[in-house]
Amino acid sequence: SEPANTHGPGPAPSSTAVPAEAGRWIPFNTAVLPDPQLDPVEWFADAFSLPSELARRWAQQLSEADCIAAGFFFNEPPRTTLRVNRLRTTRSNLQQALAAADLISEPGVLEHSLHVPHAGAPERLPGFSEGWWSIQDEAAQAAALLLNPRPGESILDLCSAPGGKTTHLAELSDDKARIIACDVSRPRLDRVQQNVQRLGLTSIELHLIERSGEGLPAGEFDAALVDVPCSNTGVLHRRPEARWRFDATALQELTALQTRLLLTAASRIRPGGRIVYSTCSLEPEENAGVVHAALAQLPDFRLIQETLHKPGAPADGAYQALLERNP
């Protein structure tokens, strides 16, 4: 079939229109997709190149509008968002430096975020070697902001690599906390160290630990960030292959690991301390499911806040929960 005309604004779901860029549709003279009235899940899967299993899950969890917004978001190139290192510069100064390099930038919704639509190679951007910024999506930035690290605190980052959230914790605490950054891979910790050095941070200590969680430094922590390995269904535009690797049965293994990591962190939190559990997933089993399963084994913890970041509203898909231990 040939397109009936050029791109048009988004109609109601139709078998005769396929999604294009920027939320627009290409209408055709004949049906090119399943009938959304007869089979909305298969229409959604075919229209946005998703496996049927993911399309079905999201159709059960999200509204039609949110599903379509996620489909468009995941089929477009991810934008570059810079998190300004407030210890080294300001968002205004960085914008001026980008403008001097003929690069357009737009302030994000968060105080230290800046969108650069045509960023190019990161190492060529102004301020890279000076440690003025890190590349980090706003949904990811929300994790450290929710934990709210403070100077003088002892903070555990249980799954730190590649270090975006770790270094954000250091910046938010004015580089005056003690941040224990852990991972199970030496090469991955080397990536954290590279980011730490470039940003000029001194409050981060790297620790190689076992997959079982053994090897953590002794003592209690005031706070912990548990940014767990996950299915990545909130960042399919950054990891497009993840959509075809998704397997609901494999979630059982993932959620067992995620729950174990959360319980490990909880065992090291002092009374009155707090934890942020974080994923880049949309799947309830990995998100609220893990949190509530852990809380069932942690009678002295309570859930303070949880947030599901919907894809494209305005950033990546993600989930964060803040837990607090009773004093």
Side-chain angles (χ1 to χ4, degrees):
S1 299
E2 294 294 327
N5 52 47
T6 57
H7 297 182
S14 167
S15 62
T16 59
V18 299
E21 76 286 346
R24 299 177 69 82
W25 302 78
I26 302 175
F28 284 74
N29 292 320
T30 58
V32 290
L33 294 170
D35 188 331
Q37 302 302 316
L38 298 176
D39 197 338
V41 169
E42 284 308 305
W43 172 84
F44 180 45
D46 285 7
F48 293 101
S49 299
L50 291 165
S52 297
E53 187 172 29
L54 265 185
R56 180 169 51 254
R57 292 172 66 87
W58 293 354
Q60 293 170 350
Q61 301 164 30
L62 303 173
S63 69
E64 179 183 277
D66 285 340
C67 281
I68 291 174
F72 275 110
F73 184 72
F74 288 145
N75 285 350
E76 294 184 0
R79 67 181 177 183
T80 298
T81 300
L82 304 184
R83 185 193 78 226
V84 180
N85 180 359
R86 66 177 192 168
L87 304 180
R88 295 223 158 177
T89 191
T90 65
R91 183 164 69 176
S92 176
N93 286 344
L94 179 54
Q95 276 197 283
Q96 292 176 22
L98 291 167
D102 294 325
L103 288 168
I104 297 172
S105 61
E106 304 166 353
V109 297
L110 299 179
E111 181 181 1
H112 297 106
S113 64
L114 195 61
H115 304 308
V116 186
H118 307 290
E123 61 274 12
R124 296 182 181 178
L125 291 178
F128 173 80
S129 58
E130 295 86 355
W132 287 0
W133 50 263
S134 299
I135 293 179
Q136 190 179 44
D137 183 80
E138 287 173 304
Q141 292 182 43
L145 289 168
L146 182 60
L147 190 63
N148 188 26
R150 300 151 196 166
E153 288 189 321
S154 180
I155 301 169
L156 172 66
D157 186 353
L158 193 56
C159 309
S160 64
K165 295 181 178 68
T166 312
T167 53
H168 196 193
L169 292 171
E171 292 167 17
L172 290 173
S173 56
D174 295 332
D175 205 22
K176 294 178 181 178
R178 179 185 180 227
I179 299 170
I180 305 301
C182 303
D183 211 280
V184 298
S185 163
R186 176 56 64 186
R188 287 171 59 82
L189 281 177
D190 289 342
R191 292 182 63 190
V192 180
Q193 182 61 27
Q194 290 170 8
N195 285 318
V196 168
Q197 290 177 339
R198 184 178 65 83
L199 296 169
L201 301 169
T202 61
S203 60
I204 297 169
E205 303 175 17
L206 304 183
H207 286 265
L208 183 67
I209 62 172
E210 302 294 331
R211 292 187 179 275
S212 63
E214 296 294 322
L216 289 176
E220 290 186 323
F221 295 90
D222 299 292
L225 175 62
V226 187
D227 184 46
V228 296
C230 69
S231 64
N232 299 307
T233 57
V235 290
L236 296 184
H237 54 329
R238 301 184 190 278
R239 300 183 178 181
E241 77 288 350
R243 70 183 68 196
W244 303 113
R245 292 180 181 173
F246 181 81
D247 179 1
T249 56
L251 279 185
Q252 297 179 10
E253 294 182 11
L254 264 178
T255 56
L257 170 62
Q258 293 157 349
T259 305
R260 186 169 73 248
L261 290 169
L262 181 51
L263 291 172
T264 296
S267 70
R268 306 299 296 275
I269 296 299
R270 65 163 178 80
R274 61 204 186 279
I275 300 173
V276 164
Y277 173 82
S278 170
T279 78
C280 57
S281 168
L282 303 180
E283 310 316 307
E285 296 96 323
E286 299 181 87
N287 296 335
V290 165
V291 168
H292 291 286
L295 286 172
Q297 302 180 54
L298 298 168
D300 54 342
F301 278 81
R302 59 194 178 103
L303 177 63
I304 302 299
Q305 178 182 335
E306 61 181 338
T307 303
L308 178 66
H309 300 268
K310 296 178 182 178
D316 291 351
Y319 171 87
Q320 288 119 24
L322 174 64
L323 285 62
E324 186 176 79
R325 188 174 182 182
N326 296 331

